[in-house]
Amino acid sequence: MAGMVAMAQSPGLTIGQQLEDYDLTVKYIEDNYAGFPDKVVDNTRAAYEAMKYRLRDKVVGGESTAWDALAQYTAWFNDRHLRLQGSFLNEDGHWRGYTNQYWLRQEIYYDELMDEYDPKPVACKVTDKTFLIRFPTCDMELLDLKWVKNSIKLFKKSHCENLIIDIRGNGGGADAMFDPFLNLLYDHAGTITGAEIRNTPQNREYLVEHKMRKRLQRILAQNPDVEFMAYSNEILSGGKKTNAVRRAALIIDDGVWSAGEQMVLCMKACSDRVTLYGRDNTGGCLDYSNLAYLKFKYGDSYFSVPMTRRIGLPETSIDATGIAPDVRIPLPLPARLTDNIDE
């Protein structure tokens, strides 16, 4: 993270090099970002162009680094998936995402409202009838899928009839991480909104290079002139109902993003036993997903660009408000949320 702060000061890079990174990044986003055709339209294009060139002029004049300019540029789209990958240390001593400082819609910073906010995996009995699984991430690099499956085994061994799945702080990752929970609570087939990919040469190349979605690669290659290609199923089916759980509570907060939000939607679509509880809505970071991570030519960092969008936007938007709980909990925040059972 300290490297990100140093990078923001552009050590050893000329204005020309920074400008080249700025121009290449802007062009990549315009050509490949799935949200660009939705967000830059007739009534926003003039404002977009003015913003783009105003920030570029600041780099040319040495008033701004390319990284600050690009952080402001990506923030204009108000998409939490479109961002510079890195952090900065704010005046209060908290690490924040580099683009966060410029977003119009700020997230809730629980680490400023609580003594400690660092949700960690938990699988334990709360009472004789209720079991808690805290599932703080869908990132396979941070949590092993084996842990998820084992947490379900521990629940079944406990003979508890009620299950709490606490996903506060789950910022996303891979959908496969929450599939075992979906199988546990499946009641019936359900419908969710599908997705479509912006079908560009660079997005196709990225899928091939990173060995992603081989079936989709073939479909896109066969239809290179179709701007957006639907690819995900809207029907969730094929599950088998189990009776291990009588009632389930899914706990959310503003830190639930992306695959965490997809988990909420899938649970609600396929299970009648799940009730959503929370003090706050989810964060709203799902309209544009499936990220390409690109490295700057000169700057030592990455930026992320969503290749896909939810079908039916803006009517199907999640980002505008997040997902609201079924039951809102108007209680003070706990002092700590780590590996403990909070009060």
Side-chain angles (χ1 to χ4, degrees), residues 8 65 114 218 247:
T65 65
M114 300 163 59
R218 292 193 295 271
R247 292 186 303 173

Side-chain angles (χ1 to χ4, degrees), residues 48-314:
Y48 166 76
E49 294 291 340
M51 175 274 300
K52 177 176 72 173
Y53 288 113
R54 173 178 57 81
L55 293 173
R56 188 181 191 279
D57 287 343
K58 286 188 174 183
V59 179
V60 172
E63 301 174 54
S64 170
T65 65
W67 329 123
D68 283 328
L70 286 168
Q72 294 176 65
Y73 170 84
T74 52
W76 183 89
F77 295 90
N78 205 27
D79 176 358
R80 292 174 171 179
H81 269 146
L82 180 71
R83 58 189 299 165
L84 272 68
Q85 296 294 313
S87 302
F88 75 100
L89 193 63
N90 70 6
E91 294 177 354
D92 298 322
H94 296 289
W95 288 104
R96 298 285 177 249
Y98 200 64
T99 299
N100 298 34
Q101 58 193 309
Y102 300 110
W103 277 330
L104 294 177
R105 182 168 64 87
Q106 288 295 317
E107 64 187 275
I108 298 173
Y109 293 117
Y110 294 107
D111 60 347
E112 295 179 356
L113 302 175
M114 300 163 59
D115 293 339
E116 187 175 13
Y117 179 77
D118 186 18
K120 297 184 184 302
V122 173
C124 67
K125 289 180 71 170
V126 177
T127 70
D128 288 342
K129 293 186 177 181
T130 303
F131 196 89
L132 166 68
I133 297 176
R134 182 166 293 138
F135 177 53
T137 182
C138 291
D139 190 332
M140 290 184 171
E141 294 184 1
L142 300 177
L143 189 64
D144 195 328
L145 184 59
K146 291 180 181 178
W147 184 93
V148 175
K149 294 178 179 179
N150 189 57
S151 72
I152 294 174
K153 289 180 181 178
L154 291 174
F155 160 68
K156 290 180 177 179
K157 287 181 180 179
S158 75
H159 300 295
C160 291
E161 61 181 18
N162 301 319
L163 177 62
I164 299 170
I165 304 178
D166 181 356
I167 62 169
R168 285 174 291 180
N170 191 317
D175 289 2
M177 285 287 284
F178 64 74
D179 282 345
F181 296 123
L182 191 61
N183 293 334
L184 176 68
L185 295 166
Y186 183 91
D187 287 324
H188 51 71
T191 302
I192 59 171
T193 300
E196 55 190 0
I197 187 168
R198 189 174 180 191
N199 186 12
T200 68
Q202 285 172 299
N203 282 343
R204 292 196 297 270
E205 289 171 9
Y206 190 89
L207 293 178
V208 172
E209 180 182 351
H210 294 271
K211 300 178 181 178
M212 299 169 61
R213 302 181 182 275
K214 291 185 178 180
R215 179 175 175 273
L216 178 59
Q217 291 176 26
R218 292 193 295 271
I219 295 173
L220 295 177
Q222 293 166 2
N223 299 274
D225 298 325
V226 178
E227 183 180 12
F228 280 93
M229 178 69 68
Y231 74 93
S232 69
N233 295 327
E234 296 186 355
I235 305 297
L236 298 172
S237 61
K240 181 179 179 181
K241 182 173 180 177
T242 64
N243 296 318
V245 184
R246 185 171 73 90
R247 292 186 303 173
L250 195 60
I251 304 179
I252 60 168
D253 67 3
D254 185 73
V256 176
W257 292 13
S258 193
E261 292 176 298
Q262 188 73 357
M263 175 180 178
V264 173
L265 296 178
C266 290
M267 287 282 192
K268 294 294 292 180
C270 292
S271 181
D272 297 326
R273 290 172 281 177
V274 173
T275 302
L276 195 61
Y277 293 86
R279 173 183 179 268
D280 305 302
N281 291 12
T282 63
C285 185
L286 190 60
D287 290 355
Y288 304 95
S289 299
N290 290 287
L291 309 184
Y293 292 93
L294 291 309
K295 192 177 186 300
F296 294 116
K297 182 176 180 180
Y298 297 105
D300 187 22
S301 188
Y302 291 79
F303 59 100
S304 57
V305 181
M307 295 182 284
T308 67
R309 69 181 182 186
R310 284 168 61 82
I311 294 172
L313 292 172

